[in-house]
Structure formats: C-alpha cells, structure tokens
Amino acid sequence: MVLEVAILDVRQDRQDAFEANFRLAAPLLAGSPGYISHQLQHCIENPSRYLLLVSWRTLEDHTIGFRQSPQFEAWKELLHHFYDPPPTVQHYRSS
C-alpha cells in the first residue's frame, strides 16, 4: 500500500466552496483502479489548509492510473482553481 499525502492551501475565504466541490470530486477518486480510501482533514491552526490522505494499492495506481485519466481532468476542473500555491504531494510506504 502507498499513502499519498497532499497539502492543500485553499485561497482565502474559499473553504466552503472548496469543500462543496470536493464532495463532488470524491467519487472520481474513489472510482479509480487501485484506490483504497481517503480522508480530507481541515487544519485547526490554519483554516486555509487541508491535508488529503489517499491510500492506493501501488504508486502507479495514483501517478499513472489516476493522474493520466479523464477522471483526473474532471478532478482538476473541480478543485485546482482553489489552490494557492499548487499542492505539495508526496508518497509514503510503511517501513
């Protein structure tokens, strides 16, 4: 299993709209091959920041399967205009 960790900084005062669009976008993620689960966490100290945790079967399920799919294009249309700066995304595995 691979854990995708994305730090999402949302434009000031756009959190409600971001969360509404995330609810629309979540099925695009959840329907992807290799998807296991996800969590969206809202930062207490910095209300413009979110942490997205996505469990994937393999790294390629995310980097190739999802990111090179039409679902990712729809995901970007729904969400990417909220971010400033662009998200930081890293992948982790258990040691």
Side-chain angles (χ1 to χ4, degrees):
M1 185 189 79
V2 171
L3 179 65
E4 170 196 356
V5 177
I7 298 171
L8 311 174
D9 289 309
V10 173
R11 295 180 190 279
Q12 197 69 28
D13 299 320
R14 300 287 293 156
Q15 293 89 353
D16 290 342
F18 167 74
E19 289 180 19
N21 275 28
F22 188 88
R23 285 189 291 277
L24 297 173
L28 298 168
L29 184 65
S32 296
Y35 165 89
I36 298 171
S37 66
H38 75 273
Q39 295 180 37
L40 181 67
Q41 301 289 327
H42 195 176
C43 183
I44 295 169
E45 292 83 8
N46 180 354
S48 295
R49 180 165 286 171
Y50 292 80
L51 182 65
L52 175 61
L53 305 171
V54 185
S55 296
W56 297 97
R57 191 174 37 102
T58 67
L59 177 63
E60 293 75 19
D61 285 331
H62 177 231
T63 59
I64 297 170
F66 182 61
R67 283 194 180 165
Q68 295 181 14
S69 71
Q71 291 83 356
F72 182 65
E73 292 305 313
W75 171 273
K76 286 184 355 184
E77 285 183 35
L78 284 166
L79 298 174
H80 281 213
H81 61 280
F82 288 107
Y83 305 140
D84 185 29
T88 300
V89 179
Q90 296 181 312
H91 300 90
Y92 296 81
R93 66 172 178 253
S94 296
S95 51

